[in-house]
Amino acid sequence: ANGETTMTTPLSAIAEAFEELSRTVGKFNINGCLDDCLRLKPFCDACSLVSVLFGCLGIAFKFAEYEYCSKVRDLVEASKIYGTLNNILDIDVKNDTVKTHGSLSRNLRRVRQGLDLIRALFKNFLSSEYCTLKEAASTAYAEVCAPYHTWAVRTAVSTGMYALPTREQLLLKLNETDESAEKEMRRYIEASLPVIEYIDKLYVRRNISLDW
Ligand code: 1PZ
């Protein structure tokens, strides 16, 4: 209907959402107050946008989509009760369930790893070091997620890598050109970092290690 306005693509929507989150986290950095600046609902909304990427990966990653989306969904449910990411940590620390399978703090940790994986993947995608999407994705996965995944999951992921689309197919599916994808990926790479670091701080300042 509005021919002149800029088209929204999945990548630009993701970049936009994380820029909004990073502005919130940035404000807290200036004020120096750690608590409660990141609200659960907008965080979940941004994380939900990421699920469109799975549609581009082929059926081999259906299990990853299910894993990621079910954890985001749990957090969405929780956002009806708990206002902020900080609240979630408080509750699980109190109940001693931070690392318990299926707990909100554990799901948050997994979703954060997913966000970091995408960040690493986009960096590799834009780097001239990697010629294929498979190389870019395999290296990102090996660095960011593999150390925390079971052997069975790592095997499934490395098998799935063979079924990834090519760079060109991915750009086409995402409705991007090389140039537009580069711009949107750079926006996400920059904006997601303070959000990821903020989440890490929620654990670290409670003396919870990040090696899981
Ligand atoms: C466009 C380029 C494609 C990149 C492809 C890289 C895909 C790697 C997919 C990794 C799948 C891992 C799936 C299973 C993980 C589970 O071991 C854990 C279990 O957590 P627990 O229940 O024990 O607490 N689940 C997760 O870590 C949930 C999130 C995993 C998915 C992250 C994917 C991020 C998005 C990839 C790009 C679309």
Side-chain angles (χ1 to χ4, degrees):
N2 35 20
E4 287 300 311
T5 53
T6 6
M7 289 269 287
T8 334
T9 61
L11 280 188
S12 67
I14 293 169
E16 183 70 37
F18 279 90
E19 281 179 351
E20 187 60 40
L21 294 182
S22 78
R23 277 192 285 274
T24 320
V25 172
K27 270 187 216 131
F28 111 83
N29 270 333
I30 294 161
N31 298 337
C33 117
L34 253 161
D35 294 347
D36 296 331
C37 71
L38 198 50
R39 302 205 47 88
L40 194 49
K41 186 63 170 64
F43 173 75
C44 290
D45 290 343
C47 292
S48 302
L49 291 175
V50 165
S51 11
V52 301
L53 293 179
F54 290 106
C56 307
L57 301 184
I59 48 164
F61 285 106
K62 271 285 160 209
F63 80 103
E65 175 173 13
Y66 176 81
E67 266 291 319
Y68 178 85
C69 293
S70 68
K71 285 167 166 61
V72 172
R73 209 177 323 114
D74 284 354
L75 293 170
V76 170
E77 276 306 306
S79 73
K80 295 169 187 164
I81 308 165
Y82 307 110
T84 67
L85 275 66
N86 196 41
N87 292 156
I88 284 183
L89 268 289
D90 277 342
I91 297 296
D92 280 319
V93 166
K94 209 170 86 196
N95 296 333
D96 196 19
T97 47
V98 171
K99 298 185 185 179
T100 303
H101 195 96
S103 80
L104 294 169
S105 299
R106 179 164 170 141
N107 289 347
L108 176 62
R109 174 98 188 111
R110 297 294 174 232
V111 168
R112 172 255 181 253
Q113 283 166 344
L115 299 179
D116 203 12
L117 174 61
I118 296 163
R119 199 173 170 274
L121 171 73
F122 285 179
K123 277 174 109 170
N124 291 351
F125 187 89
L126 298 178
S127 149
S128 53
E129 263 180 74
Y130 304 94
C131 301
T132 65
L133 181 63
K134 177 172 175 284
E135 284 175 53
S138 304
T139 311
Y141 176 76
E143 274 172 22
V144 176
C145 285
Y148 312 108
H149 286 171
T150 60
W151 178 85
V153 168
R154 293 200 305 272
T155 305
V157 170
S158 65
T159 305
M161 293 292 177
Y162 289 93
L164 282 179
T166 64
R167 287 178 75 98
E168 292 69 30
Q169 287 166 340
L170 180 68
L171 291 174
L172 213 60
K173 281 179 209 258
L174 291 172
N175 201 11
E176 303 283 352
T177 61
D178 259 312
E179 294 73 30
S180 67
E182 170 157 3
K183 174 171 158 260
E184 305 305 344
M185 287 180 182
R186 287 205 191 289
R187 288 175 70 197
Y188 174 83
I189 291 168
E190 189 176 336
S192 61
L193 184 61
V195 177
I196 291 168
E197 288 176 342
Y198 171 81
I199 297 171
D200 285 349
K201 271 187 231 163
L202 292 176
Y203 296 82
V204 168
R205 75 188 173 106
R206 292 174 169 93
N207 290 321
I208 302 161
S209 67
L210 298 176
D211 55 353
W212 52 289

PDB file of all heavy atoms in Angstrom, residues 124-159:
ATOM      1  N   ASN A 124      30.800 -14.146  11.046  1.00  0.00           N
ATOM      2  CA  ASN A 124      31.493 -15.029  10.109  1.00  0.00           C
ATOM      3  C   ASN A 124      30.956 -14.871   8.694  1.00  0.00           C
ATOM      4  O   ASN A 124      31.702 -14.921   7.728  1.00  0.00           O
ATOM      5  CB  ASN A 124      31.361 -16.488  10.554  1.00  0.00           C
ATOM      6  CG  ASN A 124      32.138 -16.778  11.821  1.00  0.00           C
ATOM      7  OD1 ASN A 124      32.914 -15.945  12.281  1.00  0.00           O
ATOM      8  ND2 ASN A 124      31.923 -17.949  12.395  1.00  0.00           N
ATOM      9  N   PHE A 125      29.652 -14.695   8.609  1.00  0.00           N
ATOM     10  CA  PHE A 125      29.009 -14.539   7.304  1.00  0.00           C
ATOM     11  C   PHE A 125      29.605 -13.333   6.569  1.00  0.00           C
ATOM     12  O   PHE A 125      29.789 -13.365   5.354  1.00  0.00           O
ATOM     13  CB  PHE A 125      27.497 -14.347   7.492  1.00  0.00           C
ATOM     14  CG  PHE A 125      26.699 -14.344   6.228  1.00  0.00           C
ATOM     15  CD1 PHE A 125      26.191 -15.534   5.709  1.00  0.00           C
ATOM     16  CD2 PHE A 125      26.440 -13.158   5.556  1.00  0.00           C
ATOM     17  CE1 PHE A 125      25.441 -15.535   4.541  1.00  0.00           C
ATOM     18  CE2 PHE A 125      25.682 -13.157   4.378  1.00  0.00           C
ATOM     19  CZ  PHE A 125      25.190 -14.344   3.885  1.00  0.00           C
ATOM     20  N   LEU A 126      29.930 -12.283   7.316  1.00  0.00           N
ATOM     21  CA  LEU A 126      30.435 -11.047   6.713  1.00  0.00           C
ATOM     22  C   LEU A 126      31.953 -11.058   6.557  1.00  0.00           C
ATOM     23  O   LEU A 126      32.520 -10.164   5.938  1.00  0.00           O
ATOM     24  CB  LEU A 126      30.021  -9.835   7.563  1.00  0.00           C
ATOM     25  CG  LEU A 126      28.512  -9.601   7.700  1.00  0.00           C
ATOM     26  CD1 LEU A 126      28.253  -8.401   8.604  1.00  0.00           C
ATOM     27  CD2 LEU A 126      27.855  -9.411   6.347  1.00  0.00           C
ATOM     28  N   SER A 127      32.591 -12.061   7.160  1.00  0.00           N
ATOM     29  CA  SER A 127      34.045 -12.109   7.073  1.00  0.00           C
ATOM     30  C   SER A 127      34.471 -12.840   5.803  1.00  0.00           C
ATOM     31  O   SER A 127      33.881 -13.844   5.422  1.00  0.00           O
ATOM     32  CB  SER A 127      34.595 -12.825   8.309  1.00  0.00           C
ATOM     33  OG  SER A 127      35.787 -13.505   7.996  1.00  0.00           O
ATOM     34  N   SER A 128      35.527 -12.346   5.189  1.00  0.00           N
ATOM     35  CA  SER A 128      35.991 -12.965   3.934  1.00  0.00           C
ATOM     36  C   SER A 128      36.680 -14.306   4.200  1.00  0.00           C
ATOM     37  O   SER A 128      36.999 -15.037   3.270  1.00  0.00           O
ATOM     38  CB  SER A 128      36.950 -12.012   3.221  1.00  0.00           C
ATOM     39  OG  SER A 128      37.957 -11.622   4.112  1.00  0.00           O
ATOM     40  N   GLU A 129      36.895 -14.619   5.488  1.00  0.00           N
ATOM     41  CA  GLU A 129      37.544 -15.877   5.828  1.00  0.00           C
ATOM     42  C   GLU A 129      36.711 -17.105   5.474  1.00  0.00           C
ATOM     43  O   GLU A 129      37.233 -18.190   5.324  1.00  0.00           O
ATOM     44  CB  GLU A 129      37.799 -15.930   7.335  1.00  0.00           C
ATOM     45  CG  GLU A 129      39.181 -15.523   7.762  1.00  0.00           C
ATOM     46  CD  GLU A 129      39.300 -15.614   9.265  1.00  0.00           C
ATOM     47  OE1 GLU A 129      39.378 -16.744   9.779  1.00  0.00           O
ATOM     48  OE2 GLU A 129      39.280 -14.545   9.922  1.00  0.00           O
ATOM     49  N   TYR A 130      35.395 -16.911   5.446  1.00  0.00           N
ATOM     50  CA  TYR A 130      34.513 -18.063   5.244  1.00  0.00           C
ATOM     51  C   TYR A 130      33.785 -17.940   3.915  1.00  0.00           C
ATOM     52  O   TYR A 130      33.099 -16.966   3.671  1.00  0.00           O
ATOM     53  CB  TYR A 130      33.497 -18.158   6.392  1.00  0.00           C
ATOM     54  CG  TYR A 130      34.170 -18.226   7.730  1.00  0.00           C
ATOM     55  CD1 TYR A 130      34.381 -17.077   8.472  1.00  0.00           C
ATOM     56  CD2 TYR A 130      34.632 -19.444   8.223  1.00  0.00           C
ATOM     57  CE1 TYR A 130      35.030 -17.134   9.702  1.00  0.00           C
ATOM     58  CE2 TYR A 130      35.287 -19.506   9.438  1.00  0.00           C
ATOM     59  CZ  TYR A 130      35.483 -18.340  10.182  1.00  0.00           C
ATOM     60  OH  TYR A 130      36.125 -18.406  11.379  1.00  0.00           O
ATOM     61  N   CYS A 131      33.974 -18.951   3.092  1.00  0.00           N
ATOM     62  CA  CYS A 131      33.387 -18.887   1.758  1.00  0.00           C
ATOM     63  C   CYS A 131      31.953 -19.386   1.756  1.00  0.00           C
ATOM     64  O   CYS A 131      31.119 -18.891   1.025  1.00  0.00           O
ATOM     65  CB  CYS A 131      34.201 -19.718   0.772  1.00  0.00           C
ATOM     66  SG  CYS A 131      35.900 -19.166   0.676  1.00  0.00           S
ATOM     67  N   THR A 132      31.673 -20.374   2.571  1.00  0.00           N
ATOM     68  CA  THR A 132      30.336 -20.960   2.518  1.00  0.00           C
ATOM     69  C   THR A 132      29.590 -20.705   3.828  1.00  0.00           C
ATOM     70  O   THR A 132      30.196 -20.458   4.871  1.00  0.00           O
ATOM     71  CB  THR A 132      30.408 -22.487   2.310  1.00  0.00           C
ATOM     72  OG1 THR A 132      31.033 -23.075   3.455  1.00  0.00           O
ATOM     73  CG2 THR A 132      31.197 -22.835   1.062  1.00  0.00           C
ATOM     74  N   LEU A 133      28.259 -20.782   3.730  1.00  0.00           N
ATOM     75  CA  LEU A 133      27.435 -20.630   4.924  1.00  0.00           C
ATOM     76  C   LEU A 133      27.747 -21.753   5.904  1.00  0.00           C
ATOM     77  O   LEU A 133      27.787 -21.548   7.110  1.00  0.00           O
ATOM     78  CB  LEU A 133      25.949 -20.644   4.532  1.00  0.00           C
ATOM     79  CG  LEU A 133      24.954 -20.470   5.679  1.00  0.00           C
ATOM     80  CD1 LEU A 133      25.122 -19.117   6.355  1.00  0.00           C
ATOM     81  CD2 LEU A 133      23.519 -20.615   5.162  1.00  0.00           C
ATOM     82  N   LYS A 134      28.005 -22.938   5.351  1.00  0.00           N
ATOM     83  CA  LYS A 134      28.314 -24.090   6.205  1.00  0.00           C
ATOM     84  C   LYS A 134      29.560 -23.840   7.056  1.00  0.00           C
ATOM     85  O   LYS A 134      29.568 -24.124   8.248  1.00  0.00           O
ATOM     86  CB  LYS A 134      28.495 -25.336   5.342  1.00  0.00           C
ATOM     87  CG  LYS A 134      28.881 -26.588   6.105  1.00  0.00           C
ATOM     88  CD  LYS A 134      28.856 -27.809   5.197  1.00  0.00           C
ATOM     89  CE  LYS A 134      29.363 -29.039   5.908  1.00  0.00           C
ATOM     90  NZ  LYS A 134      30.845 -29.070   6.057  1.00  0.00           N
ATOM     91  N   GLU A 135      30.619 -23.289   6.428  1.00  0.00           N
ATOM     92  CA  GLU A 135      31.834 -22.974   7.188  1.00  0.00           C
ATOM     93  C   GLU A 135      31.568 -21.915   8.240  1.00  0.00           C
ATOM     94  O   GLU A 135      32.015 -22.028   9.391  1.00  0.00           O
ATOM     95  CB  GLU A 135      32.928 -22.430   6.259  1.00  0.00           C
ATOM     96  CG  GLU A 135      33.631 -23.451   5.412  1.00  0.00           C
ATOM     97  CD  GLU A 135      34.610 -22.766   4.452  1.00  0.00           C
ATOM     98  OE1 GLU A 135      35.456 -21.979   4.927  1.00  0.00           O
ATOM     99  OE2 GLU A 135      34.494 -22.996   3.235  1.00  0.00           O
ATOM    100  N   ALA A 136      30.850 -20.873   7.846  1.00  0.00           N
ATOM    101  CA  ALA A 136      30.557 -19.774   8.770  1.00  0.00           C
ATOM    102  C   ALA A 136      29.751 -20.287   9.960  1.00  0.00           C
ATOM    103  O   ALA A 136      30.038 -19.955  11.114  1.00  0.00           O
ATOM    104  CB  ALA A 136      29.789 -18.664   8.040  1.00  0.00           C
ATOM    105  N   ALA A 137      28.748 -21.106   9.672  1.00  0.00           N
ATOM    106  CA  ALA A 137      27.859 -21.606  10.727  1.00  0.00           C
ATOM    107  C   ALA A 137      28.570 -22.636  11.604  1.00  0.00           C
ATOM    108  O   ALA A 137      28.430 -22.613  12.828  1.00  0.00           O
ATOM    109  CB  ALA A 137      26.603 -22.212  10.104  1.00  0.00           C
ATOM    110  N   SER A 138      29.355 -23.524  10.996  1.00  0.00           N
ATOM    111  CA  SER A 138      30.042 -24.561  11.777  1.00  0.00           C
ATOM    112  C   SER A 138      31.013 -23.938  12.764  1.00  0.00           C
ATOM    113  O   SER A 138      31.101 -24.358  13.922  1.00  0.00           O
ATOM    114  CB  SER A 138      30.814 -25.522  10.866  1.00  0.00           C
ATOM    115  OG  SER A 138      29.950 -26.089   9.924  1.00  0.00           O
ATOM    116  N   THR A 139      31.757 -22.931  12.316  1.00  0.00           N
ATOM    117  CA  THR A 139      32.732 -22.292  13.194  1.00  0.00           C
ATOM    118  C   THR A 139      32.033 -21.542  14.318  1.00  0.00           C
ATOM    119  O   THR A 139      32.447 -21.607  15.481  1.00  0.00           O
ATOM    120  CB  THR A 139      33.642 -21.328  12.400  1.00  0.00           C
ATOM    121  OG1 THR A 139      34.116 -22.020  11.251  1.00  0.00           O
ATOM    122  CG2 THR A 139      34.805 -20.862  13.235  1.00  0.00           C
ATOM    123  N   ALA A 140      30.960 -20.833  13.979  1.00  0.00           N
ATOM    124  CA  ALA A 140      30.207 -20.091  15.003  1.00  0.00           C
ATOM    125  C   ALA A 140      29.662 -21.064  16.045  1.00  0.00           C
ATOM    126  O   ALA A 140      29.784 -20.835  17.254  1.00  0.00           O
ATOM    127  CB  ALA A 140      29.068 -19.295  14.358  1.00  0.00           C
ATOM    128  N   TYR A 141      29.102 -22.157  15.574  1.00  0.00           N
ATOM    129  CA  TYR A 141      28.528 -23.138  16.497  1.00  0.00           C
ATOM    130  C   TYR A 141      29.618 -23.749  17.388  1.00  0.00           C
ATOM    131  O   TYR A 141      29.437 -23.878  18.603  1.00  0.00           O
ATOM    132  CB  TYR A 141      27.781 -24.240  15.732  1.00  0.00           C
ATOM    133  CG  TYR A 141      27.255 -25.317  16.650  1.00  0.00           C
ATOM    134  CD1 TYR A 141      26.124 -25.076  17.423  1.00  0.00           C
ATOM    135  CD2 TYR A 141      27.889 -26.542  16.768  1.00  0.00           C
ATOM    136  CE1 TYR A 141      25.645 -26.046  18.313  1.00  0.00           C
ATOM    137  CE2 TYR A 141      27.421 -27.515  17.635  1.00  0.00           C
ATOM    138  CZ  TYR A 141      26.307 -27.266  18.409  1.00  0.00           C
ATOM    139  OH  TYR A 141      25.832 -28.215  19.283  1.00  0.00           O
ATOM    140  N   ALA A 142      30.746 -24.098  16.775  1.00  0.00           N
ATOM    141  CA  ALA A 142      31.841 -24.713  17.540  1.00  0.00           C
ATOM    142  C   ALA A 142      32.326 -23.787  18.651  1.00  0.00           C
ATOM    143  O   ALA A 142      32.646 -24.241  19.750  1.00  0.00           O
ATOM    144  CB  ALA A 142      32.994 -25.069  16.606  1.00  0.00           C
ATOM    145  N   GLU A 143      32.364 -22.497  18.367  1.00  0.00           N
ATOM    146  CA  GLU A 143      32.851 -21.523  19.350  1.00  0.00           C
ATOM    147  C   GLU A 143      31.839 -21.247  20.457  1.00  0.00           C
ATOM    148  O   GLU A 143      32.174 -21.194  21.629  1.00  0.00           O
ATOM    149  CB  GLU A 143      33.131 -20.175  18.670  1.00  0.00           C
ATOM    150  CG  GLU A 143      34.496 -20.055  18.051  1.00  0.00           C
ATOM    151  CD  GLU A 143      34.613 -18.776  17.244  1.00  0.00           C
ATOM    152  OE1 GLU A 143      33.840 -17.823  17.490  1.00  0.00           O
ATOM    153  OE2 GLU A 143      35.482 -18.739  16.352  1.00  0.00           O
ATOM    154  N   VAL A 144      30.597 -21.016  20.059  1.00  0.00           N
ATOM    155  CA  VAL A 144      29.637 -20.434  20.998  1.00  0.00           C
ATOM    156  C   VAL A 144      28.792 -21.474  21.739  1.00  0.00           C
ATOM    157  O   VAL A 144      28.558 -21.332  22.932  1.00  0.00           O
ATOM    158  CB  VAL A 144      28.717 -19.422  20.261  1.00  0.00           C
ATOM    159  CG1 VAL A 144      27.645 -18.876  21.193  1.00  0.00           C
ATOM    160  CG2 VAL A 144      29.542 -18.292  19.668  1.00  0.00           C
ATOM    161  N   CYS A 145      28.357 -22.506  21.040  1.00  0.00           N
ATOM    162  CA  CYS A 145      27.391 -23.424  21.647  1.00  0.00           C
ATOM    163  C   CYS A 145      27.907 -24.829  21.905  1.00  0.00           C
ATOM    164  O   CYS A 145      27.553 -25.449  22.911  1.00  0.00           O
ATOM    165  CB  CYS A 145      26.130 -23.504  20.786  1.00  0.00           C
ATOM    166  SG  CYS A 145      25.080 -22.058  20.937  1.00  0.00           S
ATOM    167  N   ALA A 146      28.726 -25.339  20.999  1.00  0.00           N
ATOM    168  CA  ALA A 146      29.147 -26.744  21.105  1.00  0.00           C
ATOM    169  C   ALA A 146      29.697 -27.118  22.477  1.00  0.00           C
ATOM    170  O   ALA A 146      29.392 -28.204  22.989  1.00  0.00           O
ATOM    171  CB  ALA A 146      30.143 -27.077  19.991  1.00  0.00           C
ATOM    172  N   PRO A 147      30.505 -26.216  23.113  1.00  0.00           N
ATOM    173  CA  PRO A 147      31.063 -26.604  24.417  1.00  0.00           C
ATOM    174  C   PRO A 147      29.995 -26.934  25.469  1.00  0.00           C
ATOM    175  O   PRO A 147      30.299 -27.622  26.449  1.00  0.00           O
ATOM    176  CB  PRO A 147      31.869 -25.366  24.844  1.00  0.00           C
ATOM    177  CG  PRO A 147      32.174 -24.640  23.580  1.00  0.00           C
ATOM    178  CD  PRO A 147      31.018 -24.911  22.669  1.00  0.00           C
ATOM    179  N   TYR A 148      28.778 -26.445  25.275  1.00  0.00           N
ATOM    180  CA  TYR A 148      27.719 -26.643  26.280  1.00  0.00           C
ATOM    181  C   TYR A 148      26.681 -27.669  25.858  1.00  0.00           C
ATOM    182  O   TYR A 148      25.695 -27.892  26.547  1.00  0.00           O
ATOM    183  CB  TYR A 148      27.049 -25.306  26.593  1.00  0.00           C
ATOM    184  CG  TYR A 148      28.048 -24.218  26.854  1.00  0.00           C
ATOM    185  CD1 TYR A 148      28.249 -23.198  25.936  1.00  0.00           C
ATOM    186  CD2 TYR A 148      28.841 -24.255  28.000  1.00  0.00           C
ATOM    187  CE1 TYR A 148      29.208 -22.217  26.170  1.00  0.00           C
ATOM    188  CE2 TYR A 148      29.805 -23.287  28.240  1.00  0.00           C
ATOM    189  CZ  TYR A 148      29.980 -22.270  27.315  1.00  0.00           C
ATOM    190  OH  TYR A 148      30.936 -21.314  27.538  1.00  0.00           O
ATOM    191  N   HIS A 149      26.874 -28.253  24.679  1.00  0.00           N
ATOM    192  CA  HIS A 149      25.885 -29.205  24.174  1.00  0.00           C
ATOM    193  C   HIS A 149      26.375 -30.644  24.314  1.00  0.00           C
ATOM    194  O   HIS A 149      27.570 -30.900  24.284  1.00  0.00           O
ATOM    195  CB  HIS A 149      25.543 -28.903  22.716  1.00  0.00           C
ATOM    196  CG  HIS A 149      24.677 -27.691  22.545  1.00  0.00           C
ATOM    197  ND1 HIS A 149      24.399 -27.138  21.315  1.00  0.00           N
ATOM    198  CD2 HIS A 149      24.013 -26.926  23.453  1.00  0.00           C
ATOM    199  CE1 HIS A 149      23.601 -26.083  21.468  1.00  0.00           C
ATOM    200  NE2 HIS A 149      23.368 -25.933  22.761  1.00  0.00           N
ATOM    201  N   THR A 150      25.415 -31.549  24.397  1.00  0.00           N
ATOM    202  CA  THR A 150      25.764 -32.966  24.509  1.00  0.00           C
ATOM    203  C   THR A 150      26.313 -33.474  23.174  1.00  0.00           C
ATOM    204  O   THR A 150      26.131 -32.846  22.126  1.00  0.00           O
ATOM    205  CB  THR A 150      24.520 -33.802  24.841  1.00  0.00           C
ATOM    206  OG1 THR A 150      23.571 -33.619  23.786  1.00  0.00           O
ATOM    207  CG2 THR A 150      23.886 -33.371  26.157  1.00  0.00           C
ATOM    208  N   TRP A 151      26.929 -34.625  23.252  1.00  0.00           N
ATOM    209  CA  TRP A 151      27.476 -35.243  22.055  1.00  0.00           C
ATOM    210  C   TRP A 151      26.367 -35.470  21.013  1.00  0.00           C
ATOM    211  O   TRP A 151      26.545 -35.223  19.822  1.00  0.00           O
ATOM    212  CB  TRP A 151      28.157 -36.575  22.426  1.00  0.00           C
ATOM    213  CG  TRP A 151      28.708 -37.297  21.239  1.00  0.00           C
ATOM    214  CD1 TRP A 151      29.936 -37.089  20.665  1.00  0.00           C
ATOM    215  CD2 TRP A 151      28.059 -38.310  20.474  1.00  0.00           C
ATOM    216  NE1 TRP A 151      30.074 -37.918  19.575  1.00  0.00           N
ATOM    217  CE2 TRP A 151      28.942 -38.668  19.443  1.00  0.00           C
ATOM    218  CE3 TRP A 151      26.806 -38.946  20.557  1.00  0.00           C
ATOM    219  CZ2 TRP A 151      28.611 -39.649  18.491  1.00  0.00           C
ATOM    220  CZ3 TRP A 151      26.481 -39.914  19.615  1.00  0.00           C
ATOM    221  CH2 TRP A 151      27.390 -40.260  18.602  1.00  0.00           C
ATOM    222  N   ALA A 152      25.206 -35.924  21.467  1.00  0.00           N
ATOM    223  CA  ALA A 152      24.105 -36.207  20.541  1.00  0.00           C
ATOM    224  C   ALA A 152      23.665 -34.947  19.795  1.00  0.00           C
ATOM    225  O   ALA A 152      23.452 -34.972  18.571  1.00  0.00           O
ATOM    226  CB  ALA A 152      22.918 -36.800  21.302  1.00  0.00           C
ATOM    227  N   VAL A 153      23.567 -33.850  20.528  1.00  0.00           N
ATOM    228  CA  VAL A 153      23.159 -32.593  19.895  1.00  0.00           C
ATOM    229  C   VAL A 153      24.227 -32.106  18.914  1.00  0.00           C
ATOM    230  O   VAL A 153      23.931 -31.721  17.779  1.00  0.00           O
ATOM    231  CB  VAL A 153      22.849 -31.513  20.966  1.00  0.00           C
ATOM    232  CG1 VAL A 153      22.707 -30.138  20.335  1.00  0.00           C
ATOM    233  CG2 VAL A 153      21.573 -31.873  21.732  1.00  0.00           C
ATOM    234  N   ARG A 154      25.497 -32.184  19.339  1.00  0.00           N
ATOM    235  CA  ARG A 154      26.584 -31.737  18.451  1.00  0.00           C
ATOM    236  C   ARG A 154      26.599 -32.548  17.157  1.00  0.00           C
ATOM    237  O   ARG A 154      26.837 -32.016  16.069  1.00  0.00           O
ATOM    238  CB  ARG A 154      27.948 -31.868  19.159  1.00  0.00           C
ATOM    239  CG  ARG A 154      28.114 -30.926  20.344  1.00  0.00           C
ATOM    240  CD  ARG A 154      29.585 -30.723  20.701  1.00  0.00           C
ATOM    241  NE  ARG A 154      30.296 -31.978  20.944  1.00  0.00           N
ATOM    242  CZ  ARG A 154      30.376 -32.599  22.119  1.00  0.00           C
ATOM    243  NH1 ARG A 154      29.805 -32.062  23.179  1.00  0.00           N
ATOM    244  NH2 ARG A 154      31.034 -33.720  22.249  1.00  0.00           N
ATOM    245  N   THR A 155      26.328 -33.832  17.275  1.00  0.00           N
ATOM    246  CA  THR A 155      26.301 -34.692  16.085  1.00  0.00           C
ATOM    247  C   THR A 155      25.144 -34.312  15.158  1.00  0.00           C
ATOM    248  O   THR A 155      25.324 -34.209  13.944  1.00  0.00           O
ATOM    249  CB  THR A 155      26.166 -36.171  16.506  1.00  0.00           C
ATOM    250  OG1 THR A 155      27.218 -36.479  17.408  1.00  0.00           O
ATOM    251  CG2 THR A 155      26.240 -37.084  15.303  1.00  0.00           C
ATOM    252  N   ALA A 156      23.988 -34.087  15.756  1.00  0.00           N
ATOM    253  CA  ALA A 156      22.826 -33.693  14.949  1.00  0.00           C
ATOM    254  C   ALA A 156      23.087 -32.364  14.233  1.00  0.00           C
ATOM    255  O   ALA A 156      22.763 -32.197  13.056  1.00  0.00           O
ATOM    256  CB  ALA A 156      21.581 -33.581  15.840  1.00  0.00           C
ATOM    257  N   VAL A 157      23.728 -31.425  14.953  1.00  0.00           N
ATOM    258  CA  VAL A 157      24.010 -30.123  14.349  1.00  0.00           C
ATOM    259  C   VAL A 157      24.996 -30.280  13.197  1.00  0.00           C
ATOM    260  O   VAL A 157      24.788 -29.744  12.106  1.00  0.00           O
ATOM    261  CB  VAL A 157      24.548 -29.118  15.405  1.00  0.00           C
ATOM    262  CG1 VAL A 157      25.063 -27.848  14.741  1.00  0.00           C
ATOM    263  CG2 VAL A 157      23.456 -28.778  16.422  1.00  0.00           C
ATOM    264  N   SER A 158      26.055 -31.061  13.410  1.00  0.00           N
ATOM    265  CA  SER A 158      27.043 -31.155  12.328  1.00  0.00           C
ATOM    266  C   SER A 158      26.465 -31.893  11.121  1.00  0.00           C
ATOM    267  O   SER A 158      26.839 -31.605   9.990  1.00  0.00           O
ATOM    268  CB  SER A 158      28.361 -31.750  12.811  1.00  0.00           C
ATOM    269  OG  SER A 158      28.179 -33.066  13.216  1.00  0.00           O
ATOM    270  N   THR A 159      25.545 -32.804  11.346  1.00  0.00           N
ATOM    271  CA  THR A 159      24.860 -33.449  10.220  1.00  0.00           C
ATOM    272  C   THR A 159      23.974 -32.442   9.492  1.00  0.00           C
ATOM    273  O   THR A 159      23.966 -32.374   8.264  1.00  0.00           O
ATOM    274  CB  THR A 159      23.988 -34.619  10.719  1.00  0.00           C
ATOM    275  OG1 THR A 159      24.809 -35.506  11.460  1.00  0.00           O
ATOM    276  CG2 THR A 159      23.341 -35.358   9.557  1.00  0.00           C
TER     277      THR A 159
END
